[in-house]
Amino acid sequence: MSELPSPENFGYMHAMNRALHAEMAADEDVFLLGEDVGVGASGVTSGLLPRFGAERVLDTPLSEQAFTSFGTGAAMLGKKPVIEFQISSLIYLVFEQIVNQAHKFSLMTGGQVRIPVTYLVSGSGSRFGWAGQHSDNPYSLLAHAGIKTVVPGLPSDAYGLLRSAIQDPDPVAVFAPSSLLGATDPAYGGEEEIVPLGEANVVREGADLTIVAVGQHVGTAIEVAESLGDRVDIEIVDPRTVYPFDWDCLRKSVNKTGRLVVIDDSNRMCGLGAEIVATAAEEFDLVAPPRRVCRPDGTVIPYALALDKALVPGAEQLTDAVEATLKSVSK
Amino acid sequence: MKLIREFEERCLAMAIDGEIDGGIHPYIGQEAVAAGVCSNLTDQDFLTSTHRGHGHVLAKGADPRRLLAELLGTLEGFNKGRGGSMHAADMKLGILGANGIVGAGGAIASGAAWAAKARGNSQVVVSFFGDGAMSQGVLLEAFNLAAIWSLPVLFVCENNMYATSLKLESGLAGNAARRAEGFGMVARTVDGMDVEAVASATKDLIEHCRAGRGPAFLECSTYRFFGHHSVLELLGVEFRDRDEVAEWRERDPIPLLGAKLGDDVVASIEEAIKKEIDDAVEFAKNAATPEPKDALMYLYAGATAVRPGVIL
């Protein structure tokens, strides 16, 4: 048996790797398939092949559509597949297989089957310099289609949510932002706990304004909250699971603060930010119009680094949105 | 075969009369394929089916009463009225679902075959599809997976000469069975109107799969006597030469087999089947309709809250 990844490393990527090791050790129906999973090219799948063998770690040909529905078929016979997609845009190739097949079987069969597949997107969003076809963040699409979707923003959540995703009886997509793969969390390092799907986390408590921050933007929000700390007391809510969304947690926060800014690395049109802002407008007690910081409509990330960075939300845009929200008042 | 025929003729009439919602894709003419292939399967084996799937489901042993109840959208249907014609599934019988997307079942079948193989017994998976599916990339990818991993799948191509309304030669370059051979699979082509020929070829290929020698491919040359779906019948849309249809009807697999069985046997089968389908119609028409408030029941395991849209 090979060594487990170093427990001294509390980085995001290693947390996911430990989650895979733990789930595969705990349940022999869990198996991994995807491209380059044997060598662990993403880092997330390292050490699994030597530990669990080729019967449970399947290196696939470059056939995303077939191996995605292969997972569905195996799930029908009781297996729990984890499928790794190293590039987020591959989700577009397998939209049919995830949304139209795996997701729909449970309802269409009148509850005769469940499809417990995990789609692990191990490097979502801009990688800075990987251009148009390797830089998208399509989690809003899966949430729109009703796929249980998580975007962990902290290493501890990456561990705990991936384990929950694998244990869940339904298809679950896990988007790991590429900019977090190398991230570490000094506060993380004690007990590794399973994080339930569908529960948001209040990362920072505050009284004046709520920021909903998704994925890598949990870090952005913390940075902005601290930089504006002498002027505004910001609460940060990390939904962690973007579908189903923890509306109760957000309602509680916004009804307390009265102001809402969402930072989300989706495209603007029909993106996650749009849904959060719309729900807040319909249901929450707001003293100012809610705002969102997100990618422009239909963004295609250009190669040149300056252009790439210009389109991905960051601390500057979030600061502007917070300040604008503080100035404005609901009519 | 006669059960499928009688079931389908009733369904087609009911669909045209509006008693069945949506449409159906009649299997009439292709019965020898389902019957011949499935005569080699047990309840322990699996199949994936197509949008034209009633024949496969019945041949695998599904209760026609519950299949018709499903087509009428009732709680007595296999899928409790949530699947209908294109999604009929009976997991207890290893029917892993009919599928509304052409070519989608092959990859599901491969995954199921991998899981079945891991159990260490000799279960096989049959994946039915038409000639139109041979132009779907995912099916060819599935052939590759099944071949490299030596999975116990029998891919059955029901070559009925038309992909929706597109003629075979306008849609398929080369030849279906030769394509399968290109993946290293054993492939055979048989007369799909001859149930004994289908059953015999299937027997050999299923033995190949059960013995762990990898997937196999069976092409059955067949024909659907009606159009792509019932709505075309309703609209009177014709896209085939009438002489061509008449020529194939002369090779109807049911009278072809009936001639070998003799009049008395045929008459007793017909009587029994008519009664069985009468019972199914009666059963399905009396079955209960699901409640609108339960429209999204079964979508998720557990109590995942779905927020209201049209249903408040």
Side-chain angles (χ1 to χ4, degrees):
Chain A
M1 188 181 288
S2 70
E3 289 298 308
L4 283 174
S6 162
E8 287 79 40
N9 191 321
F10 299 112
Y12 192 100
M13 182 178 74
H14 292 88
M16 283 195 294
N17 183 241
R18 275 198 298 281
L20 289 174
H21 275 276
E23 281 303 310
M24 289 186 73
D27 185 346
E28 63 182 24
D29 285 328
V30 177
F31 74 102
L32 178 71
L33 72 163
E35 292 152 1
D36 310 320
V37 293
V39 296
S42 66
V44 173
T45 58
S46 298
L48 294 163
L49 176 64
R51 183 173 178 196
F52 296 103
E55 294 296 308
R56 293 183 64 195
V57 179
L58 277 64
D59 262 320
T60 64
L62 311 186
S63 304
E64 291 83 9
Q65 296 184 58
F67 69 64
T68 303
S69 272
F70 181 97
T72 301
M76 286 181 179
L77 268 66
K79 296 289 186 182
K80 294 177 187 165
V82 179
I83 307 179
E84 189 192 37
F85 301 93
Q86 290 181 63
I87 299 164
S88 59
S89 302
L90 296 176
I91 291 295
Y92 304 144
L93 272 180
V94 298
F95 214 61
E96 204 285 309
Q97 286 73 28
I98 295 176
V99 173
N100 210 28
Q101 303 289 338
H103 173 55
K104 293 184 179 174
F105 262 99
S106 51
L107 183 138
M108 292 195 305
T109 61
Q112 290 182 67
V113 282
R114 305 233 69 94
I115 310 293
V117 189
T118 303
Y119 308 104
L120 173 56
V121 180
S122 59
S124 188
S126 170
R127 301 167 175 212
F128 299 114
W130 283 80
Q133 292 174 341
H134 283 56
S135 304
D136 287 355
N137 229 342
Y139 50 76
S140 292
L141 291 178
L142 292 189
H144 177 77
I147 309 296
K148 294 179 180 177
T149 300
V150 302
V151 189
L154 299 170
S156 52
D157 289 336
Y159 175 86
L161 288 167
L162 179 52
R163 290 202 65 177
S164 284
I166 295 168
Q167 291 174 16
D168 197 87
D170 292 323
V172 183
V174 179
F175 285 83
S178 62
S179 58
L180 288 182
L181 287 181
T184 55
D185 179 357
Y188 170 53
E191 295 284 301
E192 292 196 302
E193 290 177 358
I194 290 178
V195 176
L197 300 183
E199 286 189 12
N201 179 29
V202 179
V203 176
R204 182 186 199 273
E205 293 196 5
D208 301 334
L209 181 146
T210 300
I211 294 177
V212 174
V214 179
Q216 70 271 33
H217 292 306
V218 174
T220 312
I222 292 171
E223 180 189 332
V224 168
E226 286 174 4
S227 74
L228 298 176
D230 56 342
R231 292 161 51 201
V232 52
D233 187 16
I234 290 176
E235 179 147 304
I236 300 170
V237 173
D238 171 6
R240 305 194 286 198
T241 303
V242 302
Y243 184 83
F245 195 94
D246 187 350
W247 295 110
D248 289 341
C249 176
L250 186 60
R251 178 180 289 107
K252 204 172 146 196
S253 176
V254 173
N255 287 353
K256 176 177 70 174
T257 65
R259 294 183 176 84
L260 173 66
V261 176
V262 181
I263 179 161
D264 159 43
D265 195 28
S266 292
N267 293 347
R268 185 183 184 95
M269 180 73 186
C270 297
L272 179 67
E275 177 59 35
I276 295 170
V277 165
T279 300
E282 283 179 333
E283 299 179 10
F284 299 167
D285 300 328
L286 290 162
V287 298
R291 291 176 185 272
R292 75 195 116 142
V293 180
C294 53
R295 294 185 180 192
D297 289 351
T299 293
V300 178
I301 296 290
Y303 170 69
L305 203 53
L307 307 183
D308 180 325
K309 288 185 170 176
L311 293 172
V312 175
E316 197 181 328
Q317 294 96 327
L318 180 59
T319 300
D320 290 348
V322 167
E323 287 182 340
T325 304
L326 290 171
K327 281 178 199 155
S328 61
V329 176
S330 272
K331 294 191 176 74
Chain B
M1 281 201 287
K2 189 65 189 171
L3 176 72
I4 300 170
R5 175 67 56 91
E6 184 76 21
F7 184 90
E8 289 284 84
E9 286 180 343
R10 296 281 186 102
C11 283
L12 186 55
M14 290 170 86
I16 289 171
D17 288 349
E19 286 181 272
I20 289 175
D21 296 325
I24 64 157
H25 299 78
Y27 194 68
I28 296 168
Q30 301 183 205
E31 296 90 344
V33 181
V37 169
C38 292
S39 66
N40 290 283
L41 302 180
T42 76
D43 286 358
Q44 300 303 305
D45 296 315
F46 301 93
L47 67 78
T48 64
S49 178
T50 70
H51 58 286
R52 199 179 303 288
H54 305 164
H56 311 142
V57 173
L58 290 171
K60 187 74 169 63
D63 179 351
R65 297 187 311 164
R66 295 195 61 207
L67 180 57
L68 193 58
E70 183 58 35
L71 298 188
L72 294 189
T74 70
L75 288 168
E76 303 297 331
F78 291 116
N79 310 28
K80 302 187 175 66
R82 270 70 169 188
S85 173
M86 282 192 282
H87 307 299
D90 183 354
M91 295 292 158
K92 289 192 184 120
L93 282 173
I95 299 166
L96 306 179
N99 208 303
I101 301 298
V102 169
I108 293 169
S110 295
W114 176 82
K117 186 182 175 186
R119 293 174 175 177
N121 54 32
S122 60
Q123 290 168 304
V124 297
V125 186
V126 168
S127 181
F128 288 100
F129 48 87
D131 46 292
M134 293 295 295
S135 300
Q136 287 278 4
V138 64
L139 185 66
L140 304 180
E141 289 182 12
F143 290 172
N144 189 49
L145 291 188
I148 58 171
W149 292 335
S150 200
L151 302 176
V153 193
L154 176 62
F155 294 106
V156 178
C157 177
E158 297 184 89
N159 185 345
N160 63 17
M161 318 276 291
Y162 288 86
T164 63
S165 68
L166 188 72
K167 283 189 92 152
L168 180 67
E169 54 270 30
S170 303
L172 187 79
N175 170 292
R178 298 292 86 72
R179 279 193 189 184
E181 285 173 350
F183 289 91
M185 275 190 274
V186 174
R188 287 184 60 183
T189 300
V190 293
D191 178 0
M193 308 306 264
D194 179 345
V195 68
E196 291 168 300
V198 174
S200 165
T202 304
K203 183 169 184 289
D204 295 345
L205 296 174
I206 291 277
E207 277 173 14
H208 168 98
C209 295
R210 287 198 204 280
R213 305 215 307 270
F217 185 95
L218 178 65
E219 179 188 21
C220 301
S221 303
T222 184
Y223 201 76
R224 48 172 149 85
F225 293 169
F226 288 88
H228 175 55
H229 54 56
S230 53
V231 180
L232 296 183
E233 297 302 316
L234 190 61
L235 297 174
V237 175
E238 289 189 32
F239 51 89
R240 301 182 298 189
D241 187 280
R242 286 184 180 189
D243 291 343
E244 179 188 289
V245 179
E247 222 169 89
W248 278 93
R249 275 188 176 274
E250 281 175 21
R251 303 194 44 243
D252 187 329
I254 292 174
L256 281 182
L257 182 65
K260 295 181 185 174
L261 296 176
D263 291 345
D264 290 351
V265 176
V266 168
S268 70
I269 291 173
E270 283 179 351
E271 191 184 343
I273 298 273
K274 187 177 176 306
K275 186 178 176 309
E276 191 172 358
I277 299 299
D278 285 344
D279 285 350
V281 173
E282 170 94 8
F283 175 85
K285 283 187 174 176
N286 288 321
T289 304
E291 293 289 331
K293 70 176 173 54
D294 296 333
L296 287 179
M297 192 181 271
Y298 311 117
L299 182 57
Y300 299 108
T304 298
V306 175
R307 289 187 301 158
V310 291
I311 302 170
L312 291 170

